[in-house]
Amino acid sequence: MPHRPKILYLMAGDPLIFGGGKRVFMQLMTYLNKEEFQFYSCCAFDEEQEDFLSKQGGTIVHIDIQCGGFRHSIKKLVDLLREEKIDIIHSQGARADFYARVATKLTRQKTKIVNTVAVLVEGYDVGILRKRIYCSLDGFTERCVDKFIVVSEALRQKLIVTHCIPNQKVVTIYNGIELREYRTHDSDKSYEETRKEFGINNEVFVIGAIGRLVWEKGFEYLIESIPAIIKTFPNAKILIVGDGSLRERLEALSE
């Protein structure tokens, strides 16, 4: 039987929070050609999501890189890479990327490193000292990476120009979404009911935004732009769907 490359997906986080990064990794593992690849998940999914991935043929790995301590987590990750002879480690997020790079180099194996970048470390909403540490560690280890996947062309240009990453190492792959899950059998009825629920008639120009109410999403810019929007569309309404740590602040700003 031909060798099936082994891919380890690595991401830190809270199992109770399912954001865009986890969604992308879930998609990759779900639709991966299982006849050609084997996959391992170490992504802080909840129990239901892990059960789903197990049924897809994946191997679930529990290494707490969020709170488990650096030396302990690195050792467990190194042991896993060696014992399972992982061919590719694909990570996302500053912490996961750093752990993937360090662990892979410590194994002295030919494991390939792939990082998906949705936010550059210098854009993280943290204190100045912590940001400097993040940037230093990232800059020191990013040369180890074999391939960067970025979710926008702007990020690709920043990695190439600002981080001096070779052009051939960076590829842009936009995030996808399973449209079938969001189509209704009676979309016109759903459209009318939603407007009715919020007291909006069919002539009103509506802008919708969906996402976690966190700093990365930039909802404050949408809210702050409302005065400019209503100059062109005086009866415009903005519907924001989501929840998160900035909810109260965004609600106050909208008022």
Side-chain angles (χ1 to χ4, degrees):
M1 183 177 179
H3 172 67
R4 289 189 298 154
K6 297 179 178 180
I7 306 174
L8 170 64
Y9 293 94
L10 180 68
M11 183 181 295
D14 185 337
L16 300 179
I17 298 176
F18 188 72
K22 285 187 181 180
R23 177 181 292 276
V24 170
F25 270 23
M26 179 67 79
Q27 290 170 332
L28 288 174
M29 287 182 268
T30 299
Y31 298 106
L32 190 71
N33 187 330
K34 310 306 188 300
E35 294 182 358
E36 294 188 12
F37 299 94
Q38 302 177 64
F39 74 91
Y40 297 70
S41 172
C42 183
C43 297
F45 287 124
D46 64 27
E47 188 174 337
E48 182 178 346
Q49 291 160 346
E50 289 183 348
D51 288 343
F52 172 80
L53 290 173
S54 292
K55 292 175 182 177
Q56 295 288 316
T59 300
I60 307 302
V61 180
H62 294 114
I63 300 176
D64 185 3
I65 65 172
Q66 185 75 25
C67 306
F70 177 74
R71 294 179 65 179
H72 176 71
S73 298
I74 283 291
K75 182 181 184 305
K76 293 187 71 174
L77 197 52
V78 167
D79 291 343
L80 173 68
L81 294 173
R82 285 174 174 165
E83 291 169 8
E84 298 298 329
K85 295 180 173 58
I86 300 296
D87 297 285
I88 301 170
I89 181 167
H90 186 172
S91 61
Q92 183 172 176
R95 183 185 297 270
D97 291 345
F98 179 67
Y99 277 59
R101 297 167 188 175
V102 173
T104 300
K105 287 306 169 184
L106 288 176
T107 63
R108 300 184 182 277
Q109 296 179 169
K110 295 182 179 180
T111 303
K112 298 295 184 181
I113 305 172
V114 178
N115 292 166
T116 288
V117 180
V119 180
L120 293 172
V121 291
E122 56 264 33
Y124 277 38
D125 187 23
V126 295
I128 295 176
L129 178 59
R130 180 175 293 185
K131 184 176 291 189
R132 286 179 178 173
I133 294 173
Y134 284 178
C135 288
S136 296
L137 294 176
D138 184 66
F140 181 70
T141 59
E142 64 185 357
R143 303 297 166 187
C144 305
V145 180
D146 295 283
K147 205 75 169 183
F148 289 93
I149 297 174
V150 292
V151 299
S152 72
E153 189 59 26
L155 282 173
R156 181 175 182 274
Q157 291 302 321
K158 284 184 178 180
L159 271 181
I160 294 171
V161 176
T162 307
H163 289 233
C164 300
I165 302 298
N167 177 71
Q168 67 273 17
K169 277 192 173 187
V170 190
V171 59
T172 303
I173 302 179
Y174 300 108
N175 289 342
I177 194 167
E178 299 91 336
L179 292 176
R180 289 171 294 183
E181 293 187 13
Y182 302 97
R183 286 198 178 106
T184 63
H185 296 294
D186 193 350
S187 58
D188 290 337
K189 181 179 179 181
S190 175
Y191 175 83
E192 292 174 358
E193 287 180 348
T194 300
R195 283 178 171 264
K196 184 178 179 180
E197 178 184 350
F198 291 97
I200 303 171
N201 64 50
N202 290 339
E203 286 69 45
V204 173
F205 186 83
V206 177
I207 298 174
I210 304 173
R212 291 181 296 125
L213 305 185
V214 293
W215 69 270
E216 297 99 318
K217 304 303 180 182
F219 283 110
E220 66 272 22
Y221 304 119
L222 172 59
I223 295 171
E224 290 169 352
S225 71
I226 291 175
I229 293 171
I230 61 177
K231 287 182 180 179
T232 304
F233 302 97
N235 64 347
K237 297 291 184 183
I238 314 294
L239 297 182
I240 297 178
V241 182
D243 203 352
S245 58
L246 296 185
R247 177 168 181 162
E248 291 185 3
R249 187 189 305 178
L250 293 173
E251 286 176 341
L253 181 61
S254 68
E255 292 174 4

